Amino acid sequence: MLAVDGLTTRYGAITALHAVSLHVDSGELVALVGPNGAGKTTLLYTVAGLLRPAAGRVTLDGGDVTGKDPATLVDAGLALVPERRRIFRDLTVEENLRLAGITASTAERRQRLGEAKALVPVLDAKWHTSAGYLSGGEAQQLAVARALMSDPRLLLLDEPTLGLAPKLVDVIFELLVTLRGQGRTIVVVEQNARRALELADRGYVLRTGRIVAAGPGAALAARADLFAAFVGVGADLGEEADR
Ligand code: ATP
């Protein structure tokens, strides 16, 4: 469904991605892990059209979408849940979702709002609450629900469990599994690397802008060497791997 071929992205003189290639098949949950500064966010942003690559190709369902603007990519079925959620704090849950569904028809929007309530009951309970009053876990679920308002086939999530308590990390991971069960294709960037890999069908480990390991999620999660060397200090698995 998604193919990234030799993608190179630069910030001025800094090359953040060095000819990165990966693929994501339809219905897969793929985890992208690696230390801080590895280029994970840069990769998601380049795929989502927020950054222009200096070289390489991004194809979606076989069509070249390299360098296309984000709105075109949303129309093509892609949605990004950015790090730190970026929801509108002064708007209610409902208003946040309605805004995200602004390009849908009235009937589609109504249907998707209903789906959001069913998928995330905690949002239903806080439907008229300003998003600024939501807990971190609720706000993250709202960010995911917002991305779903365009009914994407491919969902990209940047650090969806960042700063959440362990119980809420579980809630977010369960949500991802549910979405995969609905047939959506998911790419998730995660600091909770082992958890994400265990859940994922496949994973990629990125380090200093290059893919350094790839394979089935469970197999990568079992590689203590990888985590000691690449994920390293401060990540949940680096510490375990050192024991
Ligand atoms: P983190 O987990 O810390 O978010 P990451 O793997 O997502 O890390 P990126 O944020 O993609 O990594 O950063 C990749 C590289 O690009 C890093 O060296 C970073 O310093 C650099 N970089 C990121 N954003 C910019 C920017 N706006 N201007 C210049 N350099 C940047």
Side-chain angles (χ1 to χ4, degrees):
M1 161 175 244
L2 172 72
V4 169
D5 235 330
L7 207 63
T8 296
T9 302
R10 300 197 178 100
Y11 299 99
I14 298 168
T15 300
L17 295 180
H18 299 266
V20 166
S21 297
L22 56 81
H23 71 277
V24 180
D25 294 332
S26 184
E28 272 193 318
L29 170 54
V30 169
L32 193 56
V33 304
N36 289 339
K40 305 179 299 294
T41 298
T42 302
L43 180 52
L44 289 193
Y45 275 39
T46 309
V47 168
L50 293 163
L51 291 172
R52 272 183 171 273
R57 242 161 73 101
V58 180
T59 53
L60 199 55
D61 293 325
D64 190 345
V65 294
T66 319
K68 294 257 193 270
D69 64 281
T72 304
L73 285 158
V74 169
D75 288 343
L78 180 150
L80 171 72
V81 181
E83 190 179 323
R84 303 195 189 283
R85 296 138 210 172
R86 311 258 174 90
I87 52 179
F88 296 103
R89 298 172 57 83
D90 294 336
L91 301 184
T92 66
V93 166
E94 179 182 9
E95 288 163 347
N96 267 279
L97 294 176
R98 280 190 180 279
L99 201 58
I102 205 153
T103 56
S105 69
T106 307
E108 284 170 341
R109 193 161 49 245
R110 190 178 307 128
Q111 185 189 335
R112 290 175 199 164
L113 288 170
E115 287 167 359
K117 285 180 175 181
L119 183 70
V120 192
V122 76
L123 294 183
D124 189 11
K126 301 211 168 171
W127 204 240
H128 301 296
T129 302
S130 292
Y133 290 110
L134 298 179
S135 70
E138 290 164 352
Q140 185 62 57
Q141 290 175 83
L142 174 58
V144 175
R146 186 181 55 176
L148 295 176
M149 289 301 290
S150 62
D151 194 22
R153 288 171 301 122
L154 175 61
L155 195 57
L156 311 177
L157 300 107
D158 196 0
E159 308 270 13
T161 68
L162 189 73
L164 299 185
K167 235 173 95 178
L168 292 164
V169 170
D170 291 344
V171 169
I172 299 300
F173 280 137
E174 276 166 28
L175 182 55
L176 297 188
V177 169
T178 302
L179 293 173
R180 175 178 54 183
Q182 292 179 347
R184 300 203 200 256
T185 308
I186 301 169
V187 178
V188 61
V189 163
E190 259 302 331
Q191 283 292 328
N192 281 304
R194 182 168 287 155
R195 285 285 309 280
L197 288 170
E198 280 167 353
L199 213 73
D201 300 300
R202 289 188 305 110
Y204 290 91
V205 182
L206 202 61
R207 186 190 181 211
T208 54
R210 292 182 172 86
I211 303 282
V212 293
L220 288 178
R223 283 186 52 187
D225 63 310
L226 202 66
F227 291 113
F230 296 140
V231 178
V233 188
D236 58 336
L237 341 144
E239 287 157 14
E240 274 185 41
D242 288 342
R243 272 185 220 139

